[in-house]
Amino acid sequence: MAISLQKGQKIDLTKGNAGLSKLLVGLGWDTNKYDGGADFDLDAAAFLLTENGKVTSDADFVFYGNLEHASKSVLHLGDNLTGEGEGDDECIEVDLSIVPANIAKIDFTVTIYDAANRGQNFGMVSNAFIRVVDAGSNAELVRYDLGEDYSTETAVVVAELYRHAGEWKFNAIGSGFAGGLEALCRNFGVNA
């Protein structure tokens, strides 16, 4: 049974889970009904970060325009343009066993595509979540439901996987950003 976390909570993933290396990170959301007329296109991404919280190059940013990290450790399974349907809207596979040694953490984010022009923000999004699944057994290990109201934000750092004392842990972050994907890229050192 999956462990449900609150904002700011952390949990060990690999300690006590010998052999766990291949994960499926699922992100999902619903959009509230409103009369703006434009479809919502939310995009999940992963930033592979060094100890200083920055990428080593733009190639450490895995998203709909760069689906696979050069190390093959992080693979984005594709862009869902509408968010329709139940369950995960976008998924990212992670193989912890081949994450480069200089990568200290992998941050998972969701942004609203063209939010400023469409007049959209995360206040119009509900039921957002991230979940981590053991790809070998298909068992859900951890889930974090974002319950906060992000009334003006157009990007959210949802959670991160990070190394600690040779093990991998999960941190439920839920930190909102104004400025969308461009603001996130600047924050993590990507040349947007």
Side-chain angles (χ1 to χ4, degrees):
M1 180 163 162
I3 296 172
S4 186
L5 298 181
Q6 301 297 316
K7 182 175 180 171
Q9 287 185 309
K10 300 173 182 173
I11 187 172
D12 282 308
L13 281 181
T14 55
K15 189 175 182 177
N17 252 335
L20 178 67
S21 67
K22 294 188 178 181
L23 305 175
L24 178 73
V25 178
L27 297 109
W29 50 80
D30 293 323
T31 54
N32 300 333
K33 300 291 182 223
Y34 83 113
D35 56 9
D39 286 337
F40 272 82
D41 178 8
L42 275 66
D43 296 308
F47 292 85
L48 286 78
L49 308 170
T50 59
E51 198 64 50
N52 70 359
K54 304 289 183 190
V55 297
T56 57
S57 76
D58 291 357
D60 288 343
F61 172 38
V62 177
F63 69 116
Y64 61 83
N66 176 35
L67 294 175
E68 187 172 33
H69 190 260
S71 69
K72 309 268 189 245
S73 62
V74 178
L75 172 66
H76 192 298
L77 297 183
D79 189 13
N80 177 336
L81 298 176
T82 65
E84 293 293 319
E86 296 295 312
D88 301 333
D89 289 305
E90 293 192 10
C91 295
I92 298 172
E93 290 179 344
V94 179
D95 187 341
L96 298 174
S97 69
I98 57 174
V99 173
N102 68 320
I103 300 301
K105 57 187 174 178
I106 304 168
D107 277 27
F108 297 94
T109 66
V110 177
T111 56
I112 302 174
Y113 178 77
D114 203 23
N117 289 332
R118 295 178 179 186
Q120 298 171 342
N121 60 59
F122 272 95
M124 301 168 180
V125 175
S126 59
N127 304 321
F129 68 87
I130 184 170
R131 66 190 195 109
V132 178
V133 175
D134 177 344
S137 68
N138 208 31
E140 185 175 291
L141 303 172
V142 64
R143 181 183 183 97
Y144 168 44
D145 293 300
L146 283 79
E148 292 81 19
D149 179 28
Y150 301 98
S151 58
T152 61
E153 291 85 349
T154 54
V156 177
V157 178
V158 181
E160 70 185 3
L161 296 173
Y162 68 99
R163 294 184 206 251
H164 180 74
E167 301 290 346
W168 284 94
K169 295 186 172 201
F170 178 90
N171 181 13
I173 296 176
S175 177
F177 274 73
L181 185 58
E182 186 177 337
L184 281 179
C185 287
R186 272 195 314 273
N187 182 63
F188 293 127
V190 174
N191 297 308

